[in-house]
Amino acid sequence: KSLKKIEGVKKAKVRLNTEKATVVFNDAKVDEDELLKAIKKVGYKGIVESMKGGKKDEWWSKIDKIC
């Protein structure tokens, strides 16, 4: 829910069982750092694993619970 509240995020799907988040966003309004900060703010850490199809406005992030 935190990712979807960010201006510029078009779609966000988080799957905790696979530790993956897929985010589609408008890179003119939000950048990867802001998205990763939002993930961290709710108690997880994230790293950008890949851009889908080379698009810079859609990426998968691996998320892990911060202990």
Side-chain angles (χ1 to χ4, degrees), residues 6-30:
I6 299 172
E7 184 178 350
V9 172
K10 298 174 187 174
K11 181 171 63 170
K13 183 179 275 187
V14 177
R15 293 192 174 117
L16 295 177
N17 61 330
T18 61
E19 299 180 330
K20 302 271 184 189
T22 303
V23 183
V24 179
F25 61 98
N26 179 336
D27 64 342
K29 293 185 177 182
V30 65

